[in-house]
């Protein structure tokens, strides 16, 4: 007989980078400095969210890792695709970012 057990896979992603701006091949800055704010509308990149979009062309329910933008328009990385341009108003926080990503196998 066979017993099916789920295995939790944990991967260390970190909390971001200390690099303040991108540099060119000579080491000179080529972009402006990053914002000092890590959270946008209460969300942070790496959080696990559930977005229930009720109007527009991206109607549906999406659950996954969020990448925030200052504008409030987020990207959500689900299991099979990346959905771009989801408003923060549709998102609900399921798990706050702790520097790790989680996955299960069956």
């Amino acid at each position: 007989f066979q017993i099916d057990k789920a295995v939790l896979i944990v991967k260390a992603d970190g909390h971001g980078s200390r690099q303040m701006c991108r540099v060119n091949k000579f080491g000179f800055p080529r972009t402006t400095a990053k914002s000092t704010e890590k959270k946008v509308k209460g969300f942070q990149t790496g959080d696990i969210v559930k977005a229930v979009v009720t109007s527009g062309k991206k109607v549906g329910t999406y659950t996954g890792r969020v990448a925030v933008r200052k504008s409030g328009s987020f990207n959500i990385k689900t299991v099979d695709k990346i959905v771009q341009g989801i408003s923060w108003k549709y998102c609900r926080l399921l798990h706050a970012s702790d520097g790790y990503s989680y996955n299960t196998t069956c």
Side-chain angles (χ1 to χ4, degrees):
F1 78 106
Q2 182 179 1
I3 299 174
D4 293 326
K5 293 187 179 182
V7 177
L8 179 65
I9 299 171
V10 181
K11 179 181 155 196
D13 287 333
H15 284 285
S17 170
R18 191 172 185 281
Q19 182 179 10
M20 293 310 290
C21 70
R22 299 198 184 276
V23 294
N24 64 12
K25 64 181 179 179
F26 304 107
F28 290 102
R30 66 177 178 92
T31 60
T32 58
K34 290 192 316 186
S35 172
T36 57
E37 294 295 322
K38 289 189 72 148
K39 293 193 177 228
V40 176
K41 305 290 186 185
F43 296 95
Q44 182 176 345
T45 295
D47 290 348
I48 305 298
V49 298
K50 180 176 185 178
V52 181
V53 182
T54 56
S55 63
K57 62 180 173 180
K58 295 182 179 102
V59 173
T61 302
Y62 308 102
T63 304
R65 183 177 186 270
V66 71
V68 299
R69 292 191 200 119
K70 192 175 180 180
S71 64
S73 177
F74 299 163
N75 292 353
I76 298 176
K77 182 178 181 182
T78 63
V79 174
D80 55 343
K81 63 182 176 180
I82 296 176
V83 184
Q84 296 184 342
I86 302 296
S87 175
W88 68 274
K89 295 175 185 178
Y90 296 121
C91 297
R92 187 172 58 108
L93 183 67
L94 297 179
H95 178 71
S97 176
D98 58 359
Y100 295 93
S101 63
Y102 302 95
N103 199 357
T104 58
T105 62
C106 292

